Amino acid sequence: MAKPSKHNPGKDLLHVISEATSGLVGKDLLEELCRNFTRALKMQFALVAECIEEGGTHVRTLCLVNGDSVMDNIEYDTTGRPCELILQGKDIFIPKEVYKKFPEAKGIEAATGVPIYSSVSGKVIGHIIVSSLQPVTEESNQTTILKIFASQIGAEMERIKAEKELQRQIKANEFYAFTMNHLREAVFWIDQDGYIWQVNDAAAELSGY
């Protein structure tokens, strides 16, 4: 006779959040993830933050929620907060009296969080932290699940970064082309073999080609 399967709250949590965020990207993905973190872990605040500079203690939030409400993003120093340990590559779960261990976490009773790693460099590029003004039980210790979503968020952060860089390059190229084509002087781009591979509008008018 087969034994009945045991209830797995972590698996349920993974399924619920994955379903809620399916198909979302960018800001929408981060906001929905954070909202679901607070609901699932029975905590009040959740945030996703990126490091402002590698190895530094200052971070910038990409998403910050209070329950279901999305708050304005902020920059802050992680020194004296649980985030400081997370940026050192440590997972944390503190069910009560966080404020006694971390002097800058005034009023915070419980916190759990994990680092976000770059899939390219393997370095810490940010973190997730979920916190509460009230103590929580061991049921809120879901760092394993948070790590799964941290991996997804890390990939999304790098996709957003690459997209921004691509847009920057496109704008730079457009500005460059606009500037060159509005010069009165003829400009020829010639390679080392004497082959003309590009000209501006003034050169085209001058040459008749």
Side-chain angles (χ1 to χ4, degrees):
M1 182 177 176
K3 293 181 180 179
S5 60
K6 293 182 179 179
H7 177 66
N8 187 335
K11 188 176 181 180
D12 292 345
L13 174 58
L14 179 62
H15 175 75
V16 167
I17 300 179
S18 296
E19 192 172 68
T21 58
S22 176
L24 299 179
V25 295
K27 182 182 176 183
D28 292 338
L29 171 64
L30 299 183
E31 288 179 359
E32 197 58 33
L33 279 173
C34 284
R35 287 193 189 101
N36 276 274
F37 292 156
T38 60
R39 293 171 196 152
L41 302 183
K42 297 179 175 60
M43 294 191 179
Q44 184 173 348
F45 308 103
L47 66 82
V48 171
E50 64 177 348
C51 299
I52 292 177
E53 60 181 38
E54 187 179 314
T57 60
H58 283 75
V59 297
R60 172 191 303 114
T61 62
L62 300 176
C63 181
L64 170 62
V65 303
N66 179 351
D68 280 338
S69 301
V70 178
M71 313 297 286
D72 292 336
N73 284 315
I74 59 172
E75 293 184 8
Y76 68 95
D77 190 345
T78 60
T79 304
R81 305 172 189 269
C83 313
E84 183 177 13
L85 289 182
I86 303 174
L87 290 186
Q88 293 171 12
K90 300 173 183 177
D91 305 336
I92 68 159
F93 173 69
I94 306 170
K96 62 180 180 179
E97 298 182 341
V98 167
Y99 63 90
K100 288 186 177 181
K101 300 177 179 70
F102 300 94
E104 295 302 317
K106 297 177 176 65
I108 299 297
E109 273 281 353
T112 185
V114 297
I116 298 171
Y117 293 95
S118 164
S119 60
V120 178
S121 67
K123 295 179 180 179
V124 175
I125 58 173
H127 72 287
I128 302 169
I129 188 163
V130 190
S131 58
S132 174
L133 300 177
Q134 303 296 326
V136 297
T137 65
E138 285 295 324
E139 283 188 345
S140 296
N141 186 3
Q142 297 291 345
T143 54
T144 301
I145 301 301
L146 288 180
K147 285 166 78 171
I148 292 172
F149 288 107
S151 215
Q152 179 185 4
I153 291 170
E156 185 64 11
M157 285 168 64
E158 292 186 323
R159 185 196 68 79
I160 292 171
K161 183 178 179 181
E163 190 175 78
K164 285 181 178 177
E165 177 58 23
L166 177 61
Q167 291 299 321
R168 188 196 67 77
Q169 289 180 1
I170 289 172
K171 286 182 180 179
N173 289 342
E174 288 175 346
F175 178 75
Y176 178 77
F178 177 85
T179 302
M180 293 305 295
N181 283 326
H182 283 76
L183 287 175
R184 293 182 179 180
E185 294 81 6
V187 179
F188 295 82
W189 285 265
I190 302 174
D191 66 18
Q192 60 185 4
D193 297 321
Y195 177 76
I196 299 174
W197 60 274
Q198 184 63 279
V199 299
N200 68 350
D201 290 349
E205 290 177 7
L206 177 67
S207 64
Y209 289 96

